[in-house]
Amino acid sequence: MKAAIVVIAASLASGGLSAAAPDAAAIVREGNDKGAPPCIACHGAHGEGQVAGGFPRLAGLDAAYMERQMDDFASGSRDNAVMKPIASALSKEERRALARHYSGLAPPAASEPAASDELDPQGESIALRGRWEGQVPACVACHGPSGVGVGSHFPPLAAQPAGYIAAQLHAWKDGQRRNDPMGMMQHVASELDEAEIQAVAGWFAAQPAMIEEGGP
Amino acid sequence: MSGTGVIRLPALAALALLLVACSGGGAPAEEARAAELAPAAAPAVERPRLPAMATSDNAQAATAQSPPSASRDGGEMPQRAARAAFVPPAESAIPVDAFGAMIRKGRDIFMHTGRYAGEYVGNSLACVNCHLDAGRRADSGPLWAAWVRYPRYRAKNDEVNSFAERLQGCFQYSMNGKAPPPDGEVIEALSTYSYWLATDAPTGVDLPGFGYPKQGFEPPEKPDYGRGEKVYRESCAICHGAEGEGQAVAGVQVFPPLWGAQSFNWGAGMHELDNAAAFIKANMPLSLGGTLGDQQAWDVAMFMNSHERPQDPRFTGDVAETRRRFHDTRWSLYGVEVNGRLLGRGTEAPGG
């Protein structure tokens, strides 16, 4: 953080803005001259996220998805007090470069070690089969096998911190996150109760970020 | 703006409409009168439509309440909304013995058909793609309701069909594959699973939620390709892909293809607009079933089924003749010209 403050101070002092292509790796480590802090402070040295803080992993996420999320933080359709000022301090080009940078990093193994006897079994059942009386399909029906993610619209849940997954479900339930296509996640989240949210979040956190071809 | 183009469809006897299923309709047409794709003169009797959702989780509660009410048609029950849906037993109730092992095998084949019955499958679909929640969900052709409807006469082959023959048809048409032997393990496992799901159901009745809810489901206006395309782009393409190709990850088909070489063939029930529209209205977009308007469901069904897919295995060598023999139904676009393209020519066989 100290380095960032120095950099910010320096750039404020010089008042200069460079028009060169954004250097994503530098922003990740040092932040930028418009007040964006270094991403590594929260998202980890390799984009692996931080379990304790509930900061999501960015490594290996789809670039278009991440760019859209940064746009949504800035516009407020994803209402988050921490990321709003950060995204707002990034230019469109910087967001794109950062999204590309992180999508190219290798994802970590599972975010939390699989302690299968401690996991609430209804987490797995919701993840793999759904809870159809509220028209909640299996999470993997949209998020892919083991929750590894599908294309640019269905982000991975595997190897995300459980606290982060639960926080997003709450954000949809409470209306703070409203950026999902067709309101799909607002519907899903509104159907889940607290125990179900914790159970399913715990299950995905323990899944590996990548699976073998033809895997579960 | 793309219109529907010239469509000439022979009319279909109302009865045949009711008998179309997993494999396409195919009652020999009694009449080959050229007609426009237009609402039926005599809509079928409406059957009760319930927000019925049979699931594993609410099984206990419902079994404790009331036994499913038997009915032969929708007219018997004055209070349709009050009728309880049949609820199959919970997954956790599958016995832990040889019988239970066969039930699980059937469920696994149903959910991962390519993996567990690959030699009989010729596309990237699975049974569960069209019969949601492992064949439990009402209004998506649930297995518990199917089990108690067979043996049954089907116009498709003009015979009384056993449940096993019904399953075989699904492999040949919906799965674009081959019929598994009737006494082999695939049919045995699927039958065992269906039988078990129907535990405590009355037999010989159409349970509420059987098949797709298409009885009395008519398009307010003629289905339109251009409007359907708009619905598709807005509500379907995000999952099923811009070209209906679906999406796969790590070799697992997550979103199934809706047309093209890897989808159901021209003999499958889903190629008929009434089946497709009823399924889509009740179940799509996934997790938001019931949110499209009736017209939107028909329009997007028409758009989906105006694309090429694998040839009907009963193809005689001539599209017009094949239409006359097997597709002379009001809701089949096989052999019909849409936007200047004659449908029914089939796709190249996938490389395997």
Side-chain angles (χ1 to χ4, degrees):
Chain A
M1 269 322 242
K2 205 173 182 182
I5 293 163
V6 174
V7 172
I8 293 163
S11 60
L12 284 178
S14 73
L17 285 173
S18 94
D23 180 351
I27 300 174
V28 164
R29 284 190 316 271
E30 294 149 19
N32 73 3
D33 54 7
K34 290 194 269 14
C39 319
I40 55 168
C42 298
H43 292 288
H46 309 285
E48 72 278 17
Q50 243 187 63
V51 172
F55 301 131
R57 76 153 155 118
L58 304 179
L61 266 60
D62 179 84
Y65 169 77
M66 283 190 281
E67 187 182 339
R68 210 167 50 240
Q69 297 307 312
M70 287 187 262
D71 293 347
D72 293 347
F73 283 129
S75 79
S77 67
R78 183 171 174 182
D79 188 1
N80 182 266
V82 178
M83 276 304 296
K84 185 182 170 92
I86 298 176
S88 306
L90 298 168
S91 69
K92 189 78 192 143
E93 291 70 33
E94 287 171 329
R95 288 176 205 163
R96 177 159 303 163
L98 285 159
R100 256 200 229 126
H101 169 82
Y102 275 116
S103 75
L105 299 186
S111 142
E112 277 144 69
S116 47
D117 18 320
E118 278 170 38
L119 287 179
D120 180 342
Q122 73 169 334
E124 178 175 75
S125 149
I126 293 167
L128 300 181
R129 297 293 297 278
R131 234 218 30 216
W132 279 95
E133 74 267 31
Q135 218 182 144
V136 175
C139 313
V140 300
C142 287
H143 290 280
S146 299
V148 294
V150 184
S152 61
H153 289 285
F154 302 91
L157 305 179
Q160 281 293 15
Y164 175 70
I165 295 174
Q168 297 313 301
L169 293 169
H170 288 136
W172 271 302
K173 248 180 135 124
D174 302 343
Q176 280 155 268
R177 190 169 172 178
R178 300 173 301 275
N179 62 336
D180 49 328
M182 290 183 251
M184 284 187 252
M185 279 309 300
Q186 293 179 63
H187 161 74
V188 166
S190 72
E191 292 292 335
L192 300 179
D193 67 27
E194 192 52 36
E196 291 170 329
I197 288 178
Q198 296 304 332
V200 77
W203 190 84
F204 278 114
Q207 301 306 307
M210 304 225 266
I211 54 164
E212 302 278 308
E213 185 82 357
Chain B
M1 242 196 56
S2 34
T4 41
V6 192
I7 297 180
R8 288 178 217 91
L9 283 178
L12 165 78
L15 179 65
L17 246 179
L18 293 171
L19 294 166
V20 186
C22 195
S23 35
E30 282 151 38
E31 197 188 350
R33 170 171 66 83
E36 281 250 304
L37 187 56
V45 181
E46 191 175 349
R47 85 176 154 83
R49 258 186 254 136
L50 292 172
M53 284 163 206
T55 69
S56 33
D57 295 349
N58 59 10
Q60 253 62 45
T63 330
Q65 285 165 13
S66 54
S69 40
S71 69
R72 301 219 163 252
D73 60 61
E76 278 183 20
M77 290 292 290
Q79 289 172 303
R80 301 193 330 199
R83 177 151 56 180
F86 173 76
V87 178
E91 284 254 323
S92 55
I94 300 179
V96 189
D97 55 15
F99 179 55
M102 190 57 81
I103 295 170
R104 284 195 191 83
K105 182 164 283 170
R107 180 201 59 194
D108 292 346
I109 293 171
F110 198 81
M111 292 183 67
H112 310 283
T113 321
R115 199 186 309 164
Y116 296 109
E119 57 180 309
Y120 307 110
V121 174
N123 59 21
S124 26
L125 299 189
C127 311
V128 68
N129 293 159
C130 302
H131 304 289
L132 305 190
D133 191 13
R136 290 171 167 270
R137 186 168 157 81
D139 290 339
S140 75
L143 289 176
W144 41 264
W147 176 259
V148 301
R149 298 180 74 231
Y150 291 83
R152 175 178 204 88
Y153 171 80
R154 293 186 74 212
K156 172 170 179 105
N157 50 12
D158 193 24
E159 273 174 19
V160 171
N161 286 209
S162 66
F163 191 74
E165 287 169 310
R166 190 65 190 74
L167 295 176
Q168 288 178 314
C170 294
F171 278 96
Q172 290 170 280
Y173 302 101
S174 292
M175 307 300 295
N176 193 35
K178 292 191 301 234
D183 51 356
E185 196 175 63
V186 167
I187 297 295
E188 187 182 1
L190 287 168
S191 302
T192 308
Y193 178 50
S194 307
Y195 164 81
W196 175 78
L197 283 172
T199 302
D200 283 341
T203 198
V205 300
D206 289 344
L207 291 169
F210 85 96
Y212 294 164
K214 64 189 173 195
Q215 281 75 12
F217 186 52
E218 291 286 332
E221 285 173 43
K222 237 170 37 169
D224 179 80
Y225 182 97
R227 284 196 310 248
E229 179 167 22
K230 186 162 176 291
V231 175
Y232 187 80
R233 302 273 162 250
E234 285 167 2
S235 308
C236 322
I238 185 176
C239 295
H240 292 288
E243 299 302 323
E245 74 281 18
Q247 297 187 63
V249 163
V252 176
Q253 192 72 40
V254 180
F255 302 121
L258 300 188
W259 62 83
Q262 288 299 329
S263 191
F264 55 90
N265 70 37
W266 277 113
M270 190 64 96
H271 102 275
E272 305 253 357
L273 298 193
D274 58 339
N275 276 320
F279 172 83
I280 291 165
K281 166 87 188 187
N283 300 295
M284 290 292 140
L286 188 75
S287 77
L288 301 171
T291 59
L292 291 179
D294 290 3
Q295 188 65 49
Q296 288 177 305
W298 280 94
D299 289 343
V300 78
M302 153 121 197
F303 175 75
M304 169 175 95
N305 283 335
S306 296
H307 290 86
E308 273 311 329
R309 52 184 66 265
Q311 185 54 270
D312 188 329
R314 300 163 298 181
F315 186 52
T316 64
D318 178 68
V319 170
E321 193 199 353
T322 307
R323 175 170 178 92
R324 194 156 32 76
R325 287 189 52 192
F326 303 113
H327 295 290
D328 229 345
T329 68
R330 195 169 144 234
W331 298 128
S332 172
L333 295 178
Y334 185 94
V336 172
E337 202 177 293
V338 176
N339 286 344
R341 275 188 319 223
L342 177 70
L343 296 170
R345 282 183 287 201
T347 50
E348 288 295 310

